[in-house]
Amino acid sequence: MAGMDEFCSLRGDVIFFLFLSSLTPPTQNHRLRIRSGPQTDSFFHRAKEIKIKLGILLQKPDSAVDLVIPYNEKPEKPAKTQKPTLDEALQWRDCLDKLLQNNYGLASFKSFLKSEFSEENLEFWLACEDYKKIKSPAKMAEKAKKIYEEFIQTEAPKEVNIDHFTKDITMKNLVEPSLSSFDVAQKRIYALMEKDSLPRFVRSEFYQELIK
C-alpha cells in the first residue's frame, strides 16, 4: 500500500509539473515581477523536486507504463445487420413501419434518401423516437431545443417540410417539453415518407437488389 500511495503522489506531481510546463515564459515586453519570499521559494523548491522525480520515473519503465491511459487496440466491430428474407423485404412495399423496424431495411432506406439528399425527414423521425426514450426532464428540454433548432425552426440546417399549423403546435408544446411535444410533427413527417419517400425507395435499385 505504501508503494501505491507513493505512486499516486508521484502521479499528482507529474500533473502539477505538466501544468507548470504549460505556463508561457515571460517575454521581454511582459516581464513578471516575482517577489522573493517563503511562498515563492517553496513554489520553486517543489518544482525542482518534481523535476528530479520525473527523471527517476523515466528510468523506471515499469512505473511509467501505469501512467499511460489504456485504450482498446481492437475496438469491437458493430454487429453485422442480417439481410432480410424475400418475404420480409416484400412486406416493406406496403408498410413503412415494418421497413423502419428492420435494421437492414432502415439502413437501406437511409442510404437511398441520402443519395437523393432528402434524408432530413427520416433523421427527424429518428430523433423524435430517441427523444421519447428520455426520462430526465433536464435532458428532455435540452434534446427538445436541439431538435427544434436542427429541424423545425425557419431556415434550420435540416428543416423538415411541415405546415405552419403543425409548426405552431410544436412550438407551443415546447414551452413545457413533454414526451408528446413532437408527436404532431412526427406524424406529419411519417405521412410524407409513407406517401412520397417509400414509393420512390421501392422503385430504386436499393430495393430492387433485395428482391431479386
Side-chain angles (χ1 to χ4, degrees):
M1 288 299 293
M4 180 60 71
D5 291 340
E6 181 180 356
F7 177 72
C8 290
S9 174
L10 182 56
R11 192 198 302 251
D13 288 341
V14 170
I15 295 172
F16 180 72
F17 182 78
L18 292 175
F19 166 73
L20 290 178
S21 301
S22 68
L23 295 177
T24 305
T27 62
Q28 189 172 10
N29 295 328
H30 300 85
R31 295 184 180 277
L32 294 175
R33 296 182 178 179
I34 303 177
R35 296 182 179 179
S36 178
Q39 292 182 344
T40 304
D41 293 340
S42 175
F43 179 83
F44 285 106
H45 180 71
R46 178 166 168 75
K48 186 177 180 180
E49 284 183 346
I50 294 172
K51 187 175 182 180
I52 294 172
K53 286 184 179 181
L54 277 175
I56 297 173
L57 178 64
L58 293 175
Q59 295 174 7
K60 295 182 178 180
D62 293 340
S63 298
V65 169
D66 293 337
L67 288 176
V68 179
I69 298 175
Y71 69 98
N72 268 335
E73 293 182 358
K74 295 181 180 180
E76 294 184 5
K77 294 182 179 179
K80 291 184 178 179
T81 308
Q82 185 176 359
K83 190 174 181 178
T85 63
L86 177 60
D87 287 339
E88 287 176 327
L90 288 174
Q91 291 176 11
W92 301 346
R93 295 181 301 182
D94 305 311
C95 186
L96 181 58
D97 263 338
K98 290 184 178 180
L99 171 62
L100 297 177
Q101 289 169 9
N102 184 285
N103 289 334
Y104 195 100
L106 177 60
S108 297
F109 188 45
K110 191 170 186 177
S111 295
F112 164 70
L113 293 175
K114 281 188 174 182
S115 72
E116 292 196 333
F117 304 98
S118 59
E119 69 271 22
E120 67 279 351
N121 284 344
L122 178 59
E123 290 184 1
F124 170 71
W125 188 87
L126 292 171
C128 291
E129 289 296 290
D130 289 339
Y131 172 80
K132 288 186 286 189
K133 298 174 185 177
I134 298 175
K135 304 297 183 183
S136 166
K139 290 182 178 180
M140 186 180 296
E142 182 181 350
K143 181 69 172 179
K145 182 176 182 292
K146 184 177 179 181
I147 292 176
Y148 173 77
E149 291 177 346
E150 189 172 4
F151 298 102
I152 302 294
Q153 72 178 5
T154 304
E155 297 185 2
K158 299 178 181 179
E159 185 178 2
V160 292
N161 184 20
I162 55 176
D163 55 85
H164 291 293
F165 176 74
T166 302
K167 182 177 288 190
D168 289 343
I169 290 178
T170 303
M171 290 175 65
K172 289 177 182 177
N173 290 342
L174 293 178
V175 174
E176 293 183 7
S178 67
L179 293 177
S180 60
S181 292
F182 294 101
D183 280 1
V184 177
Q186 187 183 19
K187 288 177 182 178
R188 171 64 176 162
I189 291 304
Y190 180 93
L192 287 175
M193 290 195 296
E194 188 175 40
K195 181 180 179 181
D196 181 52
S197 303
L198 180 60
R200 287 189 287 109
F201 170 69
V202 169
R203 294 192 298 267
S204 72
E205 293 182 3
F206 288 86
Y207 180 76
Q208 293 301 319
E209 287 292 328
L210 292 174
I211 60 175
K212 280 185 178 180

